[in-house]
Amino acid sequence: MFEYKVKTLNNGLKILMVPSKESLSFQFTIVVNTGSDFENKQNNGISHFLEHLCFKGTEKRKNNYEISKELDSIGAYYNAFTTNELTGYFTRVAANYFEKAIDVVSDIYLNSRFPEEEIEKERGVILEEIKMYHDDPKTHVRELWAKLLFGDQPAGWPISGFIQNVKKIKRENLITYRERQYRSKSTLIILSGNFKEKQVIDLIKKYFKTIKKGKAYNKQPFKQIKTPQVLLEYRPLKQTNFVLGTYGINVFDKRQYALSVFNAIFDGGMSGKLYQLVREKLGAAYYINSTFINYSDHGEYEILGGIDSNKIFVIKEILKEIIKFTETEVSQKELKKAKDYLKGKLSLIWEDIHELADNYGYQLLIKKEIETPKEYFRKINQITPYDIKKISQSLFKNKEFKLALIGPFKKKEPFYRLLKI
């Protein structure tokens, strides 16, 4: 497995290096520990807005066309992202263009100018993006789910922002937020692929000498808020999109390994219990899957799918299947299959040097340490049937499931009845 090295510069900027001499490519990524969870009710959406605007021009590259033309001319793959806790900018290039990658991405991160006319244009683009997500039930139901599970706090708000906020964000708000959050000690540089360490370190020292020193403002602590069990949005559709689940665990919780194995048993591909129940036995859905997300101070476990609106009873059948885990231990055969599934799937993902580097980077920024695949697999191997039963009881035994859905229903009562098991 690929080795890694972490270096911290005098200004506090951390560099994570995951080299591979066999790779034909080089990826340069800048990730900062800020996102929608760091916002307040008035500026919700500003992290995402800022990410969009960083591609709109710097002193050196006057507009989006100059930035994209420069990267397109070398066949680069480039993008950016905003999540609850992270904002990132990256480009992947042929290995011989490593300096160009560092030059361009560092420039948009540090030196974006935010021209007023570009802010207004991008405001319109983001509003259209929000409408697009809203019009897609499969996507919008995830926003309803966050609102239902986490309530009126940053974790429950949309990453792209409330429409009323996006309409009001001003240039000075963006500049203030960037200066407050885009700081050296909260920023991580990830280098992956084919590169020479001394060359890239020297370039990073050169291009990042102007980064603001210090640490970004912390986010407000997460609070578990009492919310309803059901959130329903009426739309006259033949398919009902839903998210069913409950609170999970944070990224520091040692039970995450047991939860990983549990989910591999419950939703381990097409032979998993969830797929076999909902699609093969009941023929009620095209897409159905479960997942868990661990944040720094909270988590969630969710089952999402699109079911025939005449077969909403499927929700109760799914809950019955989950509750079985709290009552009896899984067999050694099921346990081995789940562990082999996890190790196989993750090995396929992590053999990509850039995917592995991204995983290491997330760990380093959020957990402040890196767990290698070898260490992760060792902990997975230690999980027992008792561990699966214990984490299932911890998450599901109180039966406080929540359900967000979009479909042709106007009354919540039938869904409250489905959740009673």
Side-chain angles (χ1 to χ4, degrees), residues 162-186:
F162 296 113
I163 286 179
Q164 63 268 27
N165 281 354
V166 174
K167 288 181 177 179
K168 292 188 295 187
I169 291 173
K170 296 183 174 10
R171 184 174 187 271
E172 53 265 34
N173 304 136
L174 292 157
I175 292 172
T176 298
Y177 184 80
R178 179 178 67 175
E179 291 181 350
R180 193 184 75 181
Q181 299 302 108
Y182 282 30
R183 296 294 188 109
S184 61
K185 291 184 178 180
S186 297

Side-chain angles (χ1 to χ4, degrees), residues 5 10 98-99 148 187 242 342 357 375 389 401 415 417:
K5 183 185 290 187
N10 292 335
F98 67 94
E99 182 168 4
L148 174 64
T187 299
F242 74 94
L342 269 179
E375 293 166 333
K389 185 177 180 181
F401 294 98
F415 297 100
R417 288 196 292 271

Side-chain angles (χ1 to χ4, degrees), residues 5 40 52 114 150 195 248 270 313 350 368 381 398 411:
K5 183 185 290 187
N40 57 48
H52 273 239
F114 312 141
F150 301 127
F195 61 90
M270 293 172 70
F313 67 89
W350 289 337
K368 312 304 180 190
N381 281 335
N398 61 15
K411 294 181 179 181

Side-chain angles (χ1 to χ4, degrees), residues 49 53 114-123 171:
F49 204 145
L53 285 169
F114 312 141
E116 290 284 3
E117 63 274 16
E118 293 297 337
I119 291 174
E120 292 311 310
K121 282 194 289 186
E122 205 59 28
R123 193 190 311 278
R171 184 174 187 271

Side-chain angles (χ1 to χ4, degrees), residues 46 195 259 323:
I46 197 169
F195 61 90
L259 184 55
I323 293 301

Side-chain angles (χ1 to χ4, degrees), residues 248-256 259 293-300 362:
I249 58 179
N250 67 45
V251 73
F252 299 100
D253 196 313
K254 300 303 181 184
R255 296 174 298 168
Q256 62 183 287
L259 184 55
I293 306 173
N294 304 333
Y295 303 100
S296 63
D297 56 359
H298 65 286
E300 58 186 278
Y362 170 80

Side-chain angles (χ1 to χ4, degrees), residues 210-229:
T210 62
I211 189 171
K212 288 192 173 293
K213 295 180 182 178
K215 188 176 181 296
Y217 282 42
N218 290 328
K219 65 176 186 175
Q220 292 298 311
F222 171 80
K223 296 178 182 179
Q224 192 160 310
I225 299 172
K226 188 171 180 59
T227 59
Q229 270 192 288

Side-chain angles (χ1 to χ4, degrees), residues 84-101:
N84 294 68
E85 298 184 299
L86 301 174
T87 307
Y89 305 83
F90 68 92
T91 186
R92 187 182 303 177
V93 298
N96 55 306
Y97 293 118
F98 67 94
E99 182 168 4
K100 178 70 69 179

